[in-house]
Amino acid sequence: MLSWIIKNQLAEVLIGRANAQSFMPTQASEIAKSVDSLYSFLLIISLIACVIVIGGMIYFAYKYRRRSANDKTAYISHDTRLEILWSVIPLVIFLFVFAWGWIIYHDMRTMPKEALEIQVIGRQWAWVAEYKNGVQSNVLVVPVKRDIRLVLSSPDVIHSFYVPSFRIKQDVVPGRYTSLWFRAEVMGEFHVFCAEFCGTSHSGMITKLRVVSQTDFDKWLIEEADSSLLPPVEYGKKLFTTKTCASCHFEDQPGVKIGPTMKGLFGLENHEMVDGTTVTADENYLRESILASQAKVVKGFGPRSAMPAFQGQLSEKELSAIIEYIKSIK
Amino acid sequence: MAHAGHDVDYIHAEKGLKSWLLTLDHKRIGILYFVTVMFFFLCGGIAALLLRGELFSYNAQANVGEILKNGDIYNQVMTYHGAIMVFMVIIPGIPAILGNFFLPLMIGAKDVAFPKLNLLSWYCLMAGAALAILTMFTGRVDTGWTFYTPYSIQTGTAVSMMVVAAFIMGMSSILTGLNFIVTVHKLRAPGMTMHRMPLFVWALYSTAIIQVLATPVLAITLLLLMMERVLGVGIFDPKLGGDPVLFQHFFWFYSHPAVYIMILPAMGIISELITTYSKKVIFGYTAIAYSSLGIAAVSFFVWGHHMYVSGQSELAGTVFSFLTMLVGVPTAIKMFNWVATMYKGSIEFRSPMLYAMGFLFLFAIGGVTGIMLATLAVDVHFHDTYFVVAHFHYVMVGGTLMAIMGGFFHWFPKMFGKMYNEAGARWSFVFIFVGFNVTFFPQFILGGMGMPRRYFDYIAAYQPLNRISTVGSWLILTGFLIGLYVIIQGLRKGAKAPPNPWGSTTLEWQTASPPIVHNFDHEPVVTAGPYEYK
Ligand SMILES: [Cu+2]
Ligand SMILES: [Cu+2]
């Protein structure tokens, strides 16, 4: 009952939706709307509180400004009735706000039953979505008006999956699964941020959440699944992004230079390592660099390589496609 | 006088650097803290300006804002800004500088209970700080001041050394707290009952309790982190079977109460300033005094409000949200009491009062946004965005820093026996206050728009507000430079201060300015409450 009143009536009557939206991102889900209603309510209450406190202060400061050095002042040590009043009123408001916040939070945390499930892996410093049919993608594509449940995991440090337009956020914690659900009401592209500090390129850990129609979604899934039939270089190019290589080996992203460029790497002789040795960058070197990055670390990027070892994370076919792609970058 | 040495003021009692470095006089130790904390504040401030400079532009478009070469350097500067400001400026700030100097004076004592321990605390802070600064040359630290695992275990930077530094500085905090508790209980002048103590003393007392109870938890947490990093014992690192979220529980179990270590003393100062410059008894003495204790107690049970989206259970989140709402009440009570104190007063707009009013203004905004963040569903959106950054700067800088500045100008004549230039002090207030709002108010909006914190670079839509914010930081800088100038001018050329220039009623104003070595000619006997303005 309370929850119904809060959700439907109060929010509507007291606030009218517009004001919180003025600087919050697009409301792409019902949850976003209810969060904004609560937020607008808080804004109004806060405004009133500030007017009372700050306004009172300014008014008194003006009215009772010092007129002469020996002004007489009133001796008012306390007023129990007043004090009880201004303890109880805030308490009631705070508890009301608490309850309202809890109700929405409960909706956020209760996973819908028939949801489309997608695994999302947050790693330094990229997002990878894995669909049930094996498709992997850096951009999260979902159908509109359908409950989506994300199962989040991380192989390295804590990240946080955050979509401002949905008002949802969930930490991605290594060593356990966390989850999150949403239901997009509008189609479009929305930002996904990493909100928990995770190192060098934390602020580069941004991707898109694309909401499309159910038919477009099905079509996209099939197209993506077919990409392994592409010629190796093109398949490799795709993998270079989906397997997150591009988030560190990225040529034209200023500010972040985490890994060395792949340009002209293949066939390079006298390629210098941190320990002073040199190698020739042939297929086997590339293979080792990818599978066991700590084995040989390139000069200027040591002593420890920032690159995770990809042993066990790439199939033989994927690996050779990536190597073909690297060979093709001249 | 009984013997000559006694009426010499504490500044001129002895000469030479050694007499300062080995002093046991609480007033001189206060000055030692003052000089060192000012230096740390300068370091942390420079870091802040660098960060704001970097954020002036987003990179992809224009490189004018690119001051720090890459993400790693930004992350390091961000870490030092936070760690220095928290551990080396705000936590020791009020208790160690103004508390040291005035706590004994305000209760009519000759010194703190353990003068040698007091000096040791300063050396602990210095040792910790030296180590912290040394990390800048041995690999630096890039974890943020929160040291969240497992990143802090995996990063190649000098985390271990920084952790040892924080550990040692924590020691300093514990010792100061212990000293103050004993001093308050044992050294009050005859007639100075607990209920006649000035509210600043009450605030220091509550703070000291938190320092003594909470800081050891930080120490334990940091030790565990060291065991993991150095010895490879699995506690927080999932690779070794540990739980990274456990670290967050430990960390906030200290760091939430630490928030009150930072703000309670500030609230104490505000009580002093408002009564003095309104020439009026404080409204609701008991409520203010006991709400400090209440805050201190409840503050130990709300740490989970930093972790609503960390993966803790829904139930835990709910309980923490509920308890956090309860802490809001005593804080609100204090606000109302201060405003009520001004009612029918005789209000003089001296710079300390301006700072106190600035405090009320900024703390009101910091407070209401705190309630927003305590609200479960709303926090899910705001958590780890600039909204949080804005909120805690409003309470920590708008609150604590305003109070330090106000308190400092209030007690300056007492500490140094000189007057400062009032007009200059007012100008510094105007710049700091306006600059502060220009810097941090836009950050609330940025947070609402979804800009996460600790971002070295951001999307185009966030640029205009970031620019405003950066310009604000230059205004704050101007304000502090003016303040510094006023202080130096006051110290060099200031007119001699009378014992009680503001007509205050608390004990510290009953002795000479600057006070004599033993504080009072005769042990004062107290017969009434602290704010008997008639
Ligand atoms: Cu991140
Ligand atoms: Cu907290």
Side-chain angles (χ1 to χ4, degrees):
Chain A
M1 180 61 194
L2 178 67
S3 105
W4 182 84
I5 295 181
I6 282 172
K7 269 193 225 150
N8 299 298
Q9 300 310 118
L10 200 75
E12 237 28 278
V13 177
L14 262 180
I15 303 135
R17 291 263 154 86
N19 35 27
Q21 253 167 293
S22 48
F23 65 83
M24 297 280 262
T26 351
Q27 298 170 332
S29 68
E30 284 303 317
I31 293 259
K33 285 183 191 155
S34 36
V35 169
D36 285 2
S37 306
L38 172 51
Y39 177 58
S40 311
F41 175 77
L42 278 163
L43 262 186
I44 291 169
I45 291 287
S46 302
L47 216 65
I48 296 172
C50 284
V51 166
I52 294 175
V53 171
I54 298 172
M57 172 186 89
I58 293 174
Y59 175 71
F60 289 163
Y62 174 76
K63 177 129 194 250
Y64 304 111
R65 65 190 180 278
R66 183 162 303 176
R67 286 158 212 261
S68 80
N70 33 19
D71 276 354
K72 286 270 165 286
T73 59
Y75 188 90
I76 312 170
S77 71
H78 67 287
D79 180 335
T80 312
R81 283 224 322 268
L82 201 60
E83 289 181 76
I84 290 178
L85 204 66
W86 71 40
S87 311
V88 173
I89 294 177
L91 180 66
V92 171
I93 296 174
F94 293 169
L95 292 182
F96 177 75
V97 165
F98 155 74
W100 189 345
W102 180 17
I103 290 165
I104 304 174
Y105 183 67
H106 182 73
D107 281 354
M108 288 176 170
R109 300 268 85 221
T110 313
M111 299 297 146
K113 293 223 172 52
E114 304 284 316
L116 172 71
E117 208 175 280
I118 304 169
Q119 299 273 337
V120 172
I121 297 154
R123 67 168 344 137
Q124 286 169 319
W125 293 279
W127 298 102
V128 186
E130 278 184 18
Y131 292 81
K132 279 274 153 51
N133 67 347
V135 163
Q136 291 192 339
S137 164
N138 289 110
V139 175
L140 189 60
V141 181
V142 299
V144 73
K145 291 196 192 297
R146 207 167 137 196
D147 293 341
I148 312 286
R149 175 165 180 252
L150 303 183
V151 178
L152 305 160
S153 62
S154 158
D156 39 53
V157 301
I158 302 180
H159 304 277
S160 192
F161 184 90
Y162 175 35
V163 192
S165 295
F166 292 93
R167 315 282 185 274
I168 50 169
K169 184 181 288 126
Q170 176 61 54
D171 282 6
V172 184
V173 185
R176 68 162 81 165
Y177 295 108
T178 50
S179 60
L180 180 77
W181 80 272
F182 62 90
R183 181 191 173 94
E185 295 296 336
V186 290
M187 290 196 270
E189 270 198 343
F190 306 99
H191 283 290
V192 176
F193 294 129
C194 174
E196 183 62 68
F197 179 67
C198 58
T200 311
S201 189
H202 167 55
S203 47
M205 205 167 151
I206 301 179
T207 187
K208 287 271 161 65
L209 190 155
R210 194 182 303 142
V211 182
V212 297
S213 69
Q214 183 69 45
T215 30
D216 284 353
F217 176 72
D218 295 334
K219 216 167 84 201
W220 177 83
L221 261 190
I222 293 166
E223 272 172 21
E224 289 294 305
D226 288 346
S227 65
S228 62
L229 304 176
L230 293 169
V233 173
E234 272 172 53
Y235 182 42
K237 183 173 184 188
K238 218 175 157 71
L239 287 170
F240 202 74
T241 326
T242 53
K243 293 292 178 184
T244 74
C245 319
S247 64
C248 297
H249 299 286
F250 200 74
E251 309 305 297
D252 36 47
Q253 187 177 347
V256 244
K257 259 204 191 65
I258 299 154
T261 173
M262 295 288 122
K263 214 174 255 164
L265 173 61
F266 181 70
L268 198 64
E269 287 169 27
N270 294 326
H271 186 32
E272 257 188 280
M273 300 292 115
V274 248
D275 56 9
T277 58
T278 58
V279 296
T280 303
D282 55 11
E283 277 100 344
N284 274 321
Y285 168 74
L286 292 184
R287 188 185 168 88
E288 188 184 30
S289 295
I290 298 167
L291 295 183
S293 43
Q294 302 304 341
K296 296 198 178 77
V297 180
V298 183
K299 189 173 176 199
F301 294 90
R304 262 184 61 88
S305 170
M307 177 167 159
F310 280 87
Q311 184 75 52
Q313 299 191 30
L314 298 171
S315 70
E316 205 52 46
K317 185 172 177 205
E318 288 170 333
L319 184 61
S320 36
I322 291 178
I323 292 178
E324 281 313 307
Y325 168 63
I326 294 176
K327 283 162 71 177
S328 77
I329 319 175
K330 294 259 158 49
Chain B
M1 283 289 94
H3 39 116
H6 276 197
D7 18 279
V8 185
D9 71 64
Y10 80 100
I11 299 177
H12 296 99
E14 280 178 278
K15 288 213 161 44
L17 189 64
K18 201 174 142 215
S19 76
W20 282 92
L21 290 180
L22 295 179
T23 183
L24 297 181
D25 183 337
H26 67 100
K27 300 182 285 301
R28 285 186 155 218
I29 294 176
I31 301 293
L32 286 180
Y33 273 113
F34 170 63
V35 174
T36 43
V37 170
M38 286 276 278
F39 172 72
F40 300 148
F41 181 65
L42 181 75
C43 300
I46 291 174
L49 288 166
L50 285 175
L51 299 177
R52 279 305 339 151
E54 171 63 40
L55 295 173
F56 189 73
S57 294
Y58 77 102
N59 277 335
Q61 188 201 44
N63 281 333
V64 276
E66 189 159 1
I67 292 178
L68 307 172
K69 242 178 33 240
N70 58 40
D72 278 332
I73 296 182
Y74 179 90
N75 295 341
Q76 289 159 5
V77 175
M78 172 270 285
T79 303
Y80 283 99
H81 167 65
I84 290 176
M85 287 303 199
V86 170
F87 293 116
M88 291 152 72
V89 177
I90 297 189
I91 289 183
I94 299 181
I97 302 173
L98 296 172
N100 244 318
F101 201 105
F102 289 104
L103 176 96
L105 280 164
M106 288 176 118
I107 59 173
K110 277 189 183 152
D111 205 318
V112 291
F114 308 115
K116 286 183 184 144
L117 205 62
N118 201 9
L119 185 63
L120 181 66
S121 320
W122 183 73
Y123 277 103
C124 277
L125 182 72
M126 292 315 289
L131 215 53
I133 289 171
L134 209 62
T135 59
M136 291 188 197
F137 307 100
T138 61
R140 301 194 279 268
V141 181
D142 69 344
T143 58
W145 78 280
T146 46
F147 301 116
Y148 269 20
T149 55
Y151 186 71
S152 57
I153 300 167
Q154 291 170 16
T155 171
T157 53
V159 174
S160 306
M161 202 163 163
M162 188 58 130
V163 162
V164 174
F167 184 88
I168 300 174
M169 289 192 272
M171 198 68 191
S172 159
S173 188
I174 296 174
L175 295 181
T176 305
L178 200 69
N179 219 336
F180 285 3
I181 294 178
V182 179
T183 307
V184 165
H185 278 291
K186 287 292 172 199
L187 298 186
R188 277 172 287 131
M192 175 61 80
T193 58
M194 290 294 267
H195 286 158
R196 283 179 182 163
M197 292 194 311
L199 287 166
F200 182 45
V201 176
W202 267 104
L204 287 170
Y205 178 69
S206 311
T207 309
I209 294 176
I210 308 182
Q211 282 176 306
V212 170
L213 292 181
T215 319
V217 179
L218 176 72
I220 294 166
T221 313
L222 296 178
L223 268 186
L224 292 175
L225 190 63
M226 285 296 283
M227 280 170 63
E228 181 142 44
R229 247 186 99 93
V230 178
L231 306 176
V233 181
I235 300 161
F236 306 124
D237 188 352
K239 290 207 179 79
L240 302 169
D243 180 359
V245 179
L246 181 66
F247 178 85
Q248 297 177 24
H249 281 289
F250 280 168
F251 181 81
W252 289 112
F253 189 85
Y254 163 74
S255 292
H256 184 80
V259 166
Y260 293 101
I261 297 181
M262 307 180 213
I263 197 66
L264 279 178
M267 294 172 157
I269 291 181
I270 297 306
S271 302
E272 302 298 327
L273 298 184
I274 292 191
T275 50
T276 302
Y277 297 98
S278 304
K279 221 177 147 193
K280 187 159 164 282
V281 67
I282 191 98
F283 186 95
Y285 175 91
T286 340
I288 296 184
Y290 284 93
S291 63
S292 294
L293 280 183
I295 290 176
V298 187
S299 73
F300 279 96
F301 304 99
V302 298
W303 76 89
H305 63 211
H306 298 268
M307 300 170 60
Y308 292 154
V309 301
S310 68
Q312 76 181 1
S313 70
E314 187 193 331
L315 178 68
T318 309
V319 172
F320 283 123
S321 171
F322 177 78
L323 290 170
T324 305
M325 294 296 176
L326 298 187
V327 197
V329 176
T331 312
I333 293 176
K334 282 177 193 272
M335 293 293 285
F336 292 129
N337 279 322
W338 289 321
V339 174
T341 302
M342 293 169 69
Y343 172 70
K344 290 199 170 166
S346 161
I347 296 160
E348 192 185 11
F349 299 107
R350 286 208 170 261
S351 43
M353 185 61 178
L354 292 181
Y355 276 106
M357 288 171 63
F359 173 99
L360 290 184
F361 185 100
L362 301 177
F363 200 75
I365 297 176
V368 293
T369 51
I371 292 297
M372 296 181 187
L373 289 172
T375 310
L376 284 162
V378 177
D379 182 65
V380 170
H381 178 58
F382 287 145
H383 177 75
D384 269 343
T385 65
Y386 263 79
F387 194 94
V388 176
V389 176
H391 160 72
F392 71 71
H393 280 89
Y394 263 83
V395 284
M396 304 280 77
V397 184
T400 309
L401 215 63
M402 281 281 158
I404 295 192
M405 295 295 287
F408 185 69
F409 281 121
H410 176 65
W411 281 305
F412 184 92
K414 182 57 60 182
M415 292 170 81
F416 302 106
K418 304 241 170 114
M419 301 301 284
Y420 54 85
N421 182 313
E422 174 62 24
R426 284 185 193 169
W427 275 114
S428 99
F429 165 77
V430 170
F431 273 96
I432 295 176
F433 180 78
V434 173
F436 179 85
N437 283 296
V438 175
T439 308
F440 292 105
F441 202 84
Q443 297 186 1
F444 281 123
I445 305 175
L446 280 172
M449 290 163 75
M451 178 173 167
R453 64 193 282 203
R454 297 175 167 179
Y455 261 33
F456 160 67
D457 196 1
Y458 50 81
I459 59 172
Y462 301 148
Q463 182 167 285
L465 288 167
N466 268 296
R467 293 216 155 153
I468 298 177
S469 181
T470 301
V471 171
S473 71
W474 302 334
L475 292 178
I476 302 183
L477 172 70
T478 314
F480 275 110
L481 289 179
I482 298 174
L484 189 69
Y485 177 77
V486 172
I487 292 172
I488 293 173
Q489 272 308 90
L491 287 177
R492 287 182 53 213
K493 304 214 175 108
K496 186 162 175 16
N500 190 0
W502 322 131
S504 188
T505 50
T506 40
L507 275 185
E508 79 274 25
W509 300 103
Q510 314 308 317
T511 182
S513 300
I516 54 172
V517 176
H518 290 292
N519 293 352
F520 300 94
D521 283 338
H522 305 282
E523 185 173 46
V525 176
V526 181
T527 52
Y531 309 112
E532 296 296 315
Y533 294 94
K534 284 283 157 54

